[in-house]
Amino acid sequence: MDVNPRFKKLFEPGRIGQMALKNRIVMAATGTSLEREDGFVDDRIKDYYEERAKGGVGLIVMGIGAIDHPRGRVLPGQLGLSDDKFIPGLTEMAEAIHRHGAKVAIQLQRGGKLSTEDMAAGVQPLGPSVGSVPMSEVMQDMATTEIPRLMVRFAKMPAKMETIALTVEQIQEIVEKFAEAAERVKKAGIDGVEIHAGHGYLLSEFLSRSCNKRQDEYGGDLKGRARIVLEIIKAVREKVGMEYPVWCRIDGREFEIEDGITIEDGKELARLLEEAGVDAINVTGYAGPVGGFYDAPLVYPPGNLVSLAEGIKKVVKIPVIAVGRISAELGEEVLRQGKADLIAMARALVADPEFPNKIASGKMEDIRPCIYCYNCVAQAFWGEPVYCSVNAAAGKEAEFRIEPVERAKKVMVVGGGPAGMEAARVATLRGHEVMLYEKGRRLGGSLVFAAIVQSDNEGFLNYLITQMRKLPIKVKLGEEVTPALIEDIKPDVVILALGGNLVTPQIPGADRHNVISGKDLRQMMSDRLKRFLKPASVRRLTKYWMPLGKRVTIVGGDIVGCELAEFLTERGRKVTILESETDMNTEMSIPRRWNVMRWLRQNGVTMLKGVNYEEITSKGVIITNSDGEKQTIEADTVVLAGSVEPNVALSQAIEGKVPQICLVGDCTELRLINGAVEDGARIALTI
Ligand SMILES: Cc1cc2nc3c(=O)[nH]c(=O)nc-3n(C[C@H](O)[C@H](O)[C@H](O)COP(=O)(O)OP(=O)(O)OC[C@H]3O[C@@H](n4cnc5c(N)ncnc54)[C@H](O)[C@@H]3O)c2cc1C
Ligand SMILES: Cc1cc2nc3c(=O)[nH]c(=O)nc-3n(C[C@H](O)[C@H](O)[C@H](O)COP(=O)(O)O)c2cc1C
Ligand code: SF4
């Protein structure tokens, strides 16, 4: 296959030590909780990785292999590396990945203060020094609605728990365990090991002054703090030899951590690791478990960790791997500019395993893009399996495999939002004859508005619309489906993807001229968009436009209210959010919610929870606040963000008149993008 010349560098062969790679795209480690709790490989985790190997990636690094399984786990499910009994499963995994020409490695990892599985079992975690465990901090920081779920997982954890400082003998045992794990990995036919010395796990705690307070030879200056890692490399080399690929993942810098690792530490460490005989350095970053995710490691600003890789590349001769929201275009540029030798990606490949093949063949518009919702990684907080909002098959590859149907059916999809479009896409790929009806003038449904207020959603909107255009789907825009039309068309299956009914809070004065309902706001945005043809430009078009007053009060603090607040604040409005419940924005993934709430606070948005709405006047909203006091929140414009409720009138009207009726997405309950996509795909696979 001729490679798209735009990405020539990405598809040049790569190398780590003796390991030749077919290209320079690496799947960065993803600990998924798809792994079994007993540490053995099974079909589910094998399918997850094999799917990504099939998609054309050069190297897959499997996440957090537990060198001391079951101790030191940070997720319930981690692949075990602590016993020979795990070798046959790892061999099967290697064979599955090798079938597609990719190479495979696994991270050697042990948790310290983040060993949540130890804590959940009431076992005190280990660390370089006595120190606090951040889990209690995380629990305090969680919104109240999340605590019950956390409490289930950490029921046995005492309210206050500290790490125990490792003795030198215990350190030696851990060094040996790393080495034995590497030997098993090699025996299993896996191509290399990545020693995980970042992300707040045990080795990075030794490296970071913030955790390592030791006075002995394992503490002090960087050489002392790095001693355990250097000893591990030596012990690993003794077991696997000099030819076997061994490298390290390190934090080029710790963000938001007092006394954390600096880039100068990162550089010095890289030099020590090179001297000790590693074949490459994978440069990531860390920012603590509470709220820091957006800085590192799951960086939000595109390419924001590249400068760390670039800095380290200047001081070593071995290959350097860069990571952190790197797009194909940026990856190509980073390689061309010599800032790194290999480009690692995680979320792009969770969202679309075929990403490498699609960029190689120039099918950029077919890439299903990550929307940076952080739902995949939020699952780790509950120890539950990863899923992806835009890719229902992620982690459920077998369940969501698209197989051709024996008998094609006439399928009528009603509603052109994400649920309807995903159902239409999957049903068509299976061979059904699909018609998609949308009463509006454009496809997208509520996703259009979601893309306006949160630009990361826009790529997914465009992807779905493109698929509707490319696939043999009869799309009818501007046609509201009625029971009569359905009887007329006589489909075998009707998939109702109508979206929810918008509910507007009933507040005296809600009909005043200074009040805009969710429906009005959508109408205003739609009217504005009508003038423009390309959906790709929705956000740009609304950049300067917004016919709202200077002071805006949003009634309703769910995901929509909070995103709208962010959007309006960015456009110069002074925003207040009012919420009658005791918590806000509970639909968002934890890391994203932390970040959004922090941003709102830092940018002067007032957020009042647990309020009673009394009346809307020309001056604003009169409320009774959570202390029982009456208060007027002054506003030029009041937006009623409201919520959605099930929309079942059409399904009731056609009951018994069509062989099969299915409901998907928000018309059943608020399902958000992830639920809409999952429902759409699932139903299309069952008809
Ligand atoms: C401002 C805003 C921000 C949001 N932000 C996010 C976010 O960041 N993350 C997230 O996960 N979710 C977000 N959401 C929610 C998300 O957009 C919805 O949950 C999702 O779009 C639901 O998809 P759906 O296909 O079920 O319904 P919808 O997207 O509502 O689509 C339903 C479609 O059906 C059409 N329709 C209805 N009746 C008929 C009929 N009789 N005939 C023909 N067509 C019909 C409608 O016109 C509509 O286009 C946001 C929503 C809004 C409004
Ligand atoms: C679901 C998920 C699980 C992850 N698990 C690991 C892990 O086990 N080990 C690790 O070093 N990094 C892990 N990461 C971080 C990624 O390896 C990567 O550094 C990060 O996601 C930034 O890259 P991206 O922007 O391409 O996603 C994980 C990321 C995600 C999204
Ligand atoms: S769950 Fe969200 S952040 Fe994670 S890969 Fe999917 S779209 Fe991206």
Side-chain angles (χ1 to χ4, degrees), residues 21 45 99 101 119 151 156 174 179 186 202 225 229-230 321 406 419 436 529 538 614:
L21 303 172
I45 186 67
R99 273 200 285 279
M119 293 177 234
M151 291 311 281
K156 291 196 195 131
I174 285 175
K186 184 181 177 193
L202 186 65
R225 302 199 306 275
V229 184
L230 301 174
I321 307 171
E406 279 174 17
L436 172 66
L529 291 174
V538 285
E614 304 296 343

Side-chain angles (χ1 to χ4, degrees), residues 150-276:
L150 264 188
M151 291 311 281
V152 171
R153 193 165 168 218
F154 296 105
K156 291 196 195 131
M157 178 178 153
K160 188 161 163 43
M161 194 181 254
E162 289 191 318
T163 48
I164 304 175
L166 283 159
T167 63
V168 171
E169 291 69 38
Q170 284 173 316
I171 290 177
Q172 292 313 315
E173 275 169 30
I174 285 175
V175 168
E176 196 49 30
K177 282 181 178 167
F178 268 95
E180 286 168 1
E183 191 178 24
R184 282 184 199 105
V185 170
K186 184 181 177 193
K187 271 192 195 150
I190 287 178
D191 304 292
V193 289
E194 176 172 278
I195 297 166
H196 199 342
H199 296 180
Y201 299 138
L202 186 65
L203 301 186
S204 78
E205 285 179 68
F206 271 88
L207 291 167
S208 179
R209 269 183 224 94
S210 65
C211 297
N212 187 342
K213 311 287 180 199
R214 296 179 76 100
Q215 304 295 325
D216 64 3
E217 67 271 33
Y218 290 95
D221 63 6
L222 186 73
K223 226 169 171 175
R225 302 199 306 275
R227 184 179 300 277
I228 183 170
V229 184
L230 301 174
E231 286 182 359
I232 287 171
I233 294 165
K234 186 163 176 277
V236 166
R237 280 282 176 229
E238 277 164 16
K239 295 276 189 199
V240 300
M242 293 309 288
E243 309 280 282
Y244 189 68
V246 175
W247 65 96
C248 263
R249 187 168 222 205
I250 62 166
D251 297 323
R253 186 190 149 191
E254 285 182 328
F255 300 76
E256 298 184 31
I257 294 178
E258 213 185 314
D259 258 346
I261 295 166
T262 63
I263 177 65
E264 290 315 315
D265 292 334
K267 285 183 187 169
E268 196 183 334
L269 175 64
R271 277 192 294 259
L272 290 172
L273 297 174
E274 183 175 36
E275 248 175 62

Side-chain angles (χ1 to χ4, degrees), residues 4 23 62 107 122 130 134 138 165 191 209 242 245 316-317 462 480 561 604 624 657 672:
N4 181 356
N23 60 45
M62 297 189 289
Q107 284 188 324
V130 175
V138 171
D191 304 292
R209 269 183 224 94
M242 293 309 288
V316 295
K317 295 198 175 61
N462 294 336
E480 176 156 5
T624 304
K657 295 181 183 157
L672 299 173

